[in-house]
């Protein structure tokens, strides 16, 4: 049926239209960062200027949230990398009692709406009289970042042939040497990809953060406040570009890292 | 070679531990799984338990203090007309968003699964993954710009003389409003936009599993394209649609940012939870509200599992 190898025109148009629909709105953010109109979202912009980048740079209320966001994302990613890799190593090859329940437990923090994770953590902190701080934000973020690292690591563990581990043991390496010289290099790019995605997720998180933050605010919280009570609208767009790039780059890196994943050592087995 | 030993001498604690792990794999497993389990068990499950506990407390109407005694009173408050409306409105919105997302996602998923090859396959993959992962707030903000009264849609509609259509849509009772950014239609569109990739991916996974031979068989038996689509492709895509609907439904039910920024002032479950725990200081009622999506999702997941949607995840 050669005629069926080509998509009908209407389907092609609908699919391409759908992709455009997904991408065009984000481009608008970039345009509005250059507008000369400060008060409204007038389209088309009456004029273009670069001044908002300078204004944003000089605004002192932007830097602390930016630094806090970076700090929280880095710490939660580090925690998630350790915990996610451990649980992936345990789940990848072994069968044990309660395995299904554990896999459910890992995905639950992102399967349930963020408002539930946020509200739960808030209830727990208030019952235990834990003051809201950077630590409580990190606690929340790490919890839902674990699944991201886990997903990447467990996929790579499954593709890794068990034979390389056995060969390493046959050659006299102990478990730690095998981990250091065999497992870690093979897992490396998957872990980096998982870490990148976890970082992006944490850097952008707003719902859980609003429930677990005290007085301090992360960059998304700052943005949310500007959305509800705008001050200088184009400055918000400049920050939006920063947030966009800070999440976009890690994702692109993660994509390139995991694309060639099928060539992992022993993957053909 | 005669004295070659099968077992190497132990050179240190690393070797001894390796030997222990080899003889008793359970020890290694326990070592690996304990830290993450402690974290998820204590931090996450503990918190969920705290939420459940809070929801059975109540608030003293005179002092505003939380009464730490078990009662179902707080759950009873959920059935007050004003609160029950919030739940109904949220469910209605979640259903409408799921339906809209399914319709929008289908052509993209179908094209990506069946016709995209080579470089186009990668374009589609990245084209779906990048919006999925890029900043949620930035996406919502972009729509604020688009839907604003002086924004791009109004401009485009006026330019082609369709401004009347927008006014007509906005004047519809129940869904309309002052401008697109303060109407239910606006909220609905933004929800669809933000969750669309979550619907496309499982749909695409399900469609990729439809064997081409089955479509050929359908054609050989004399079915038209439309008939093949309706009787073969669509039923086989259903598990993917249901899997995608898990995400769109659950995410819409819990979100409180989108209806806060775009839409009328009407309340949704997420917003109610946020306001009740914050300004109102009514943690028990906030917790009870938060339990509603959990129960609905548990029922939803049970149904989805029965329909085989988990294989498409």
């Amino acid at each position: 049926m050669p005629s069926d190898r080509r998509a009908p025109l209407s389907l092609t148009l609908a699919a391409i239209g759908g992709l455009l629909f997904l991408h065009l709105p984000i481009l608008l953010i970039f345009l509005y960062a250059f507008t000369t109109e400060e008060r409204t979202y007038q389209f088309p912009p009456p004029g273009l200027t670069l001044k908002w980048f300078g204004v944003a740079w000089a605004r002192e209320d932007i830097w602390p949230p930016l630094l806090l966001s970076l700090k929280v994302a880095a710490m939660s990613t580090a925690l998630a990398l350790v915990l996610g890799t451990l649980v992936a190593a345990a789940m990848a090859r072994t069968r044990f009692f309660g395995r299904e329940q554990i896999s459910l437990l890992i995905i639950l923090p992102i399967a349930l709406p963020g408002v539930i994770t946020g509200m739960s953590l808030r209830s727990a902190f208030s019952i235990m009289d834990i003051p809201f701080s950077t630590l409580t934000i990190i606690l929340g973020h790490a919890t839902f970042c674990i699944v991201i690292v886990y997903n990447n690591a467990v996929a790579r563990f499954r593709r890794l042939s068990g034979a390389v581990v056995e060969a390493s043991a046959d050659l006299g390496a102990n478990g730690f040497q095998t981990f250091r010289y065999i497992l870690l290099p093979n897992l490396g790019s998957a872990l980096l990809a998982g870490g990148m995605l976890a970082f992006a997720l944490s850097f952008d998180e707003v719902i859980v953060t609003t429930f677990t933050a005290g007085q301090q605010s992360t960059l998304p919280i700052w943005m949310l406040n500007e959305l509800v009570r705008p001050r200088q609208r184009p400055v918000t767009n400049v920050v939006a570009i920063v947030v966009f790039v800070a999440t976009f780059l890690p994702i692109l890196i993660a994509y390139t890292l995991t694309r060639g994943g099928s060539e992992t050592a022993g993957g053909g087995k | 070679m005669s004295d070659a030993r099968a077992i190497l001498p132990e050179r240190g604690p690393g070797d001894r531990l390796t030997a222990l792990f080899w003889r008793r794999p359970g020890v290694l497993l326990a070592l690996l799984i304990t830290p993450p389990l402690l974290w998820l068990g204590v931090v996450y499950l503990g918190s969920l338990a705290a939420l459940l506990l809070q929801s059975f407390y109540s608030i003293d109407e005179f002092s505003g203090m939380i009464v730490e005694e078990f009662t179902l009173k707080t759950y009873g408050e959920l059935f007050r007309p004003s609160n029950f409306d919030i739940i109904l409105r949220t469910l209605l919105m979640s259903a409408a968003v799921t339906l809209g997302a399914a319709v929008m996602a289908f052509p993209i998923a179908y094209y990506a699964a069946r016709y995209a090859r080579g470089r186009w396959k990668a374009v589609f993959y990245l084209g779906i993954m990048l919006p999925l992962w890029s900043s949620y707030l930035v996406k919502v903000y972009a729509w604020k710009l688009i839907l604003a009264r002086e924004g791009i849609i109004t401009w485009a509609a006026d330019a082609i003389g369709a401004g009347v259509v927008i006014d007509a849509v906005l004047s519809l009772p129940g869904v309309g409003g002052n401008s697109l950014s303060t109407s239910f239609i606006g909220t609905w569109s933004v929800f669809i936009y933000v969750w669309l990739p979550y619907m496309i991916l499982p749909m695409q996974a399900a469609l990729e599993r439809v064997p081409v031979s089955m479509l050929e068989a359908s054609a050989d038996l004399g079915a038209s394209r439309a008939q093949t689509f309706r009787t073969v492709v669509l039923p086989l895509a259903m598990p993917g649609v249901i899997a995608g609907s898990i995400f769109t439904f659950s995410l819409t039910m819990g979100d409180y940012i989108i209806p806060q920024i775009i839409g009328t002032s009407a309340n949704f479950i997420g917003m109610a939870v946020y306001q009740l725990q914050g300004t109102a200081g009514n943690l028990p009622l906030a917790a009870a509200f938060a339990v509603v999506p959990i129960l609905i999702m548990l029922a939803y997941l049970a149904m989805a599992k029965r329909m085989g949607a988990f294989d498409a995840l």
Side-chain angles (χ1 to χ4, degrees), chain B residues 155-174:
Chain B
W155 171 81
D158 285 341
I160 58 168
V164 207
V165 179
I166 292 189
D167 289 340
V169 170
L170 284 176
S171 65
L172 289 174

Side-chain angles (χ1 to χ4, degrees), chain B residues 63-196:
Chain B
S63 64
M65 300 288 284
I66 294 170
V67 186
E68 299 191 353
E69 277 169 33
F70 286 108
T71 169
L72 285 173
K73 202 180 108 200
T74 311
Y75 279 102
E77 283 181 38
L78 287 182
F79 292 96
R80 278 189 196 163
S82 60
N83 292 335
F84 200 66
D85 275 357
I86 296 175
I87 296 174
L88 277 185
R89 184 179 303 122
T90 310
L91 286 180
L92 209 63
M93 179 59 87
S94 306
V97 168
T98 301
L99 208 66
V103 171
M104 283 238 27
F106 202 89
I108 308 175
Y110 193 54
Y111 191 94
R114 215 161 119 49
Y115 297 106
R117 295 277 170 273
R119 177 175 299 179
W120 275 102
K121 194 106 187 161
V123 168
F124 265 87
Y125 180 75
L126 264 183
I128 298 160
M129 287 312 274
L130 283 178
L132 171 70
W133 275 96
S134 54
S135 169
Y136 161 85
L137 260 189
V138 171
K139 284 185 280 190
V140 177
Y141 184 40
W143 278 86
K144 180 105 183 152
L145 306 179
I146 292 170
L147 297 174
R149 181 181 279 287
E150 65 279 10
I152 189 166
I153 289 192
T154 314
W155 171 81
D158 285 341
I160 58 168
V164 207
V165 179
I166 292 189
D167 289 340
V169 170
L170 284 176
S171 65
L172 289 174
V175 291
N178 268 332
S179 71
L180 281 171
S181 70
T182 54
S183 67
F184 275 118
I185 300 175
T187 323
W188 181 70
S189 327
V190 182
F191 268 131
I192 291 181
Y193 173 78
V194 173
W195 310 141
L196 190 58

Side-chain angles (χ1 to χ4, degrees), chain A residues 80-98:
Chain A
L81 272 176
V82 174
L83 297 170
T85 313
L86 284 175
V87 73
M91 304 278 284
R93 233 176 272 279
T94 39
R95 298 270 171 277
F96 55 89
F97 176 73

Side-chain angles (χ1 to χ4, degrees), chain A:
Chain A
M1 275 197 311
S3 65
D4 227 13
R5 302 219 179 278
R6 293 269 305 269
L9 185 65
S10 56
L11 178 66
T12 313
L13 288 179
I16 291 175
L19 278 192
L20 287 178
F21 171 72
L22 280 172
H23 289 263
L24 288 182
I26 297 173
L27 294 180
L28 261 189
I29 292 274
F30 287 79
L31 177 67
Y32 274 97
F34 298 98
T35 181
T36 48
E37 167 63 52
E38 187 180 332
R39 264 171 248 296
T40 68
Y41 299 123
Q42 190 188 342
F43 189 92
L48 298 175
T49 170
L50 278 171
K51 85 169 189 190
W52 300 113
F53 287 84
V55 174
W57 183 271
R59 277 269 294 266
E60 281 175 2
D61 57 325
I62 297 175
W63 290 102
L66 175 63
L67 292 179
L68 181 66
S69 278
L70 288 173
K71 184 172 156 193
V72 166
M75 304 266 284
S76 342
T77 303
L79 272 168
L81 272 176
V82 174
L83 297 170
T85 313
L86 284 175
V87 73
M91 304 278 284
R93 233 176 272 279
T94 39
R95 298 270 171 277
F96 55 89
F97 176 73
R99 196 174 176 279
E100 294 282 304
Q101 284 71 19
I102 291 175
S103 74
L104 182 68
L105 179 61
I106 299 167
I107 62 159
L108 214 51
I110 57 162
L112 288 179
V115 78
I116 290 170
T117 311
M119 185 62 211
S120 301
L121 289 165
R122 194 173 180 89
S123 300
F125 295 149
S126 81
I127 285 177
M128 293 169 73
D129 278 325
I130 300 173
F132 297 106
S133 63
T134 309
L135 177 74
T136 52
I137 304 180
I138 294 172
L139 276 174
H141 283 206
T143 305
F144 60 74
C145 283
I146 293 176
V147 59
I148 310 294
V149 176
Y150 166 80
N151 275 342
N152 277 274
V154 86
R156 185 62 62 86
F157 266 120
R158 290 209 181 107
R159 275 210 300 261
L160 257 181
S161 161
V164 290
V165 176
E166 282 162 24
S168 167
D170 284 348
L171 292 168
N174 68 36
F176 300 91
Q177 289 166 325
T178 304
F179 177 76
R180 169 73 188 80
Y181 294 106
I182 306 293
L183 283 179
L184 208 52
N186 274 309
L187 284 175
S189 61
L191 291 186
L192 198 57
M196 286 289 171
L197 293 176
F199 186 92
L201 193 67
S202 166
F203 191 85
D204 185 47
E205 216 299 321
V206 52
I207 293 190
V208 174
T209 320
T210 49
F211 284 92
T212 53
Q215 292 304 313
Q216 74 280 61
S217 64
T218 59
L219 206 55
I221 301 234
W222 180 93
M223 247 187 89
L224 184 60
N225 286 334
E226 291 295 310
L227 285 186
V228 180
R229 280 177 296 277
R231 286 170 57 194
Q232 286 171 304
R233 284 179 161 155
V235 171
T236 316
N237 283 72
V238 174
V239 174
I241 292 178
V242 173
V243 173
F244 180 77
V245 171
T247 46
F248 186 83
L249 284 183
I251 293 146
L252 263 191
I253 296 172
Y255 171 73
T256 46
L257 282 171
T258 47
R259 198 175 32 173
S262 52
E263 295 109 49
T264 313
K269 302 284 158 60

Side-chain angles (χ1 to χ4, degrees), chain B residues 281-293:
Chain B
N282 193 343
L283 272 179
L285 188 55
F289 257 116
V291 170
V292 174

Side-chain angles (χ1 to χ4, degrees), chain B residues 192-270:
Chain B
I192 291 181
Y193 173 78
V194 173
W195 310 141
L196 190 58
Y198 292 91
M199 180 60 99
I200 299 175
L201 289 172
M203 249 187 196
Q204 187 185 340
L207 285 169
E208 256 160 15
R209 273 179 238 163
V210 178
V212 179
S213 60
M214 213 175 256
L215 305 178
E216 286 166 352
S218 174
D220 287 347
L221 291 167
S224 70
R225 253 195 176 154
Q227 279 175 319
T228 304
F229 184 79
R230 213 176 50 241
T231 53
V232 180
V233 177
L234 217 48
L236 289 171
M238 267 330 266
V241 178
I242 295 169
S245 77
I246 294 173
F247 295 108
T248 55
F249 200 85
S250 165
L251 290 166
T252 310
M253 231 180 358
D255 192 277
Y256 73 93
I257 309 278
I258 292 173
Q260 187 188 344
I261 294 176
I262 291 155
T264 62
S265 53
N267 228 335
F268 287 82
I269 290 181

